[in-house]
Amino acid sequence: MLKDFMRKKLREQGSRVTAQREAILKIFEEYGDHLGADDVYNLLLKRKKPISKSTVYRTLELLTGIGILRKLEFNGGVYRYELSEPSSNHHHAVCTRCGKIIDLKFEEVSELFKKAEKMGFFVNNYSIILYGLCPSCQENEMKSITEKMDNDESR
Amino acid sequence: MLKDFMRKKLREQGSRVTAQREAILKIFEEYGDHLGADDVYNLLLKRKKPISKSTVYRTLELLTGIGILRKLEFNGGVYRYELSEPSSNHHHAVCTRCGKIIDLKFEEVSELFKKAEKMGFFVNNYSIILYGLCPSCQENEMKSITEKMDNDESR
DNA sequence: ATAAGTGCAAAGGATTTGCGATGGG
DNA sequence: CCCATCGCAAATCCTTTGCACTTAT
């Protein structure tokens, strides 16, 4: 159980198990991935578990440090987090129109790693992100283009 | 010549060719890649071409829009930019200790693209970043560890 | 008991915006 | 001449920090 893992890890390093930390972990277990600090904050509000934003930030950082969360950086300069357990090698496709994030599995990254290591670089972590349009935004994009053409014609 | 390309692109979309825009392009041509807004601002100051920071931000965004620059997002929530021309398929290795950025060439991303497209996602752009330690920081890291061990012994 | 963690409010850093002044086409 | 662009200062957004209070161990 992830909760027990967190407790163990926290105690190991002399950190404490607090209600806030458990509540945040729960949010990730229930609402899944790609949550930003603000999302976590608001979800806890809705759940009648008000928390301070600084605590959210500090906890996300802490949980990343002990390997429970992974810190992600998509378009927009907002950090997001996901449970780091599931599948290590999945990447993200971010829709630049609506912001939707799609997960992708992919293994063939090893080649790139080898190259980096040949250059003496020690790889700790990596991020692969595709930017583009998700299916529904492609449709909408189409619509706007058609509309625009209609307008141009009727001038 | 890149300068001419920019002029053409700007005029095409009804934007103007200004001294500031040309100066910023020049900075990228001379100082190369991975520059943040603040870097550009300071380099222009040194060059006795003072500019307003807002103009830098607006221009970087504009040049990205017309395909002259590519917007990058490394660790730390600071946007950086590079000329988008050179080789489309190079990626970055960022040293998490000193911030140095190493370029890597890699072609085998097509697989991942295919997967995304099979899921109906239209790929516009992508980012692949490795985080880790560059050669010299690995050495320093070693030193600090050895020092730490020495200290522990002498307690 | 006591050191770690919390909440609050204030500070910080990067980027964006509103607006009067400037200048390219 | 007119509208896009500029510079400046203020505003905004996300995140971090300082400090007195609270709480897990």
Side-chain angles (χ1 to χ4, degrees):
Chain A
M1 212 183 171
L2 200 49
K3 195 174 178 178
D4 296 326
F5 177 72
M6 179 177 85
R7 289 180 172 169
K8 191 169 135 279
K9 274 285 187 181
L10 287 176
R11 294 205 173 102
E12 262 176 33
Q13 59 163 48
S15 295
R16 292 172 183 174
V17 176
T18 66
Q20 290 88 336
R21 287 169 187 179
E22 303 215 290
I24 289 182
L25 177 62
K26 212 170 178 184
I27 291 292
F28 277 93
E29 290 184 319
E30 292 188 24
Y31 293 86
D33 291 338
H34 315 136
L35 301 176
D38 211 58
D39 299 329
V40 173
Y41 173 79
N42 289 128
L43 286 169
L44 284 171
L45 270 196
K46 272 188 206 156
R47 294 289 209 76
K48 316 280 181 202
K49 302 248 183 206
I51 193 175
S52 140
K53 244 176 212 178
S54 1
T55 301
V56 174
Y57 279 105
R58 284 185 286 226
T59 303
L60 294 176
E61 212 50 49
L62 177 74
L63 297 186
T64 300
I66 61 178
I68 287 183
L69 296 179
R70 184 184 299 123
K71 192 175 187 172
L72 308 170
E73 206 173 356
F74 299 126
N75 241 356
V78 183
Y79 293 113
R80 306 196 153 271
Y81 297 80
E82 64 180 11
L83 288 172
S84 81
E85 276 209 319
S87 60
S88 253
N89 43 3
H90 83 268
H91 313 298
H92 301 96
V94 182
C95 180
T96 50
R97 196 182 204 263
C98 72
K100 190 187 296 160
I101 298 161
I102 293 176
D103 291 332
L104 294 167
K105 301 214 168 192
F106 182 58
E107 301 78 21
E108 290 77 339
V109 211
S110 45
E111 282 286 324
L112 184 59
F113 280 39
K114 278 183 208 153
K115 287 201 183 181
E117 278 160 7
K118 243 178 235 165
M119 296 174 70
F121 192 90
F122 175 77
V123 180
N124 257 323
N125 197 353
Y126 64 96
S127 131
I128 297 188
I129 307 172
L130 307 187
Y131 296 101
L133 292 176
C134 69
S136 60
C137 284
Q138 285 176 51
E139 275 179 43
N140 293 327
E141 198 80 339
M142 271 310 194
K143 271 183 214 157
S144 346
I145 293 175
T146 329
E147 276 162 25
K148 215 189 162 196
M149 287 171 68
D150 290 351
N151 287 337
D152 287 354
E153 276 169 23
S154 57
R155 262 186 214 149
Chain B
M1 209 183 173
L2 201 49
K3 196 174 177 178
D4 296 325
F5 177 71
M6 180 178 82
R7 288 181 173 168
K8 191 168 136 278
K9 275 286 190 183
L10 286 176
R11 293 203 174 104
E12 263 176 30
Q13 59 162 47
S15 296
R16 290 173 184 172
V17 175
T18 66
Q20 290 88 338
R21 286 167 188 181
E22 303 215 289
I24 288 182
L25 177 61
K26 213 170 176 181
I27 292 291
F28 276 92
E29 290 183 319
E30 292 187 25
Y31 292 86
D33 291 339
H34 315 136
L35 302 175
D38 210 59
D39 300 328
V40 172
Y41 173 79
N42 287 311
L43 286 168
L44 284 171
L45 270 196
K46 273 188 206 158
R47 295 288 209 76
K48 315 280 181 202
K49 303 246 181 207
I51 193 176
S52 141
K53 242 176 215 179
S54 359
T55 301
V56 174
Y57 279 106
R58 283 185 285 225
T59 304
L60 293 176
E61 211 50 48
L62 177 74
L63 297 186
T64 301
I66 62 179
I68 286 180
L69 297 178
R70 186 183 297 122
K71 192 175 189 175
L72 307 168
E73 206 172 357
F74 299 126
N75 242 356
V78 183
Y79 292 114
R80 307 197 151 269
Y81 297 80
E82 65 180 9
L83 288 173
S84 80
E85 277 209 318
S87 60
S88 254
N89 42 3
H90 83 269
H91 314 299
H92 302 95
V94 182
C95 179
T96 49
R97 195 181 205 265
C98 71
K100 191 187 295 159
I101 296 161
I102 293 176
D103 291 331
L104 295 167
K105 301 214 168 194
F106 182 57
E107 300 77 22
E108 289 76 340
V109 209
S110 45
E111 282 287 325
L112 183 58
F113 280 39
K114 278 183 211 153
K115 287 203 184 182
E117 278 160 7
K118 242 178 237 165
M119 294 174 71
F121 193 88
F122 175 78
V123 179
N124 257 323
N125 197 354
Y126 64 95
S127 133
I128 297 189
I129 307 173
L130 309 186
Y131 297 100
L133 292 176
C134 69
S136 60
C137 284
Q138 285 175 51
E139 276 179 41
N140 293 326
E141 198 79 340
M142 271 311 198
K143 270 183 214 157
S144 343
I145 292 175
T146 328
E147 277 161 25
K148 214 189 162 197
M149 285 171 67
D150 290 353
N151 287 336
D152 288 354
E153 277 169 20
S154 58
R155 261 185 216 151

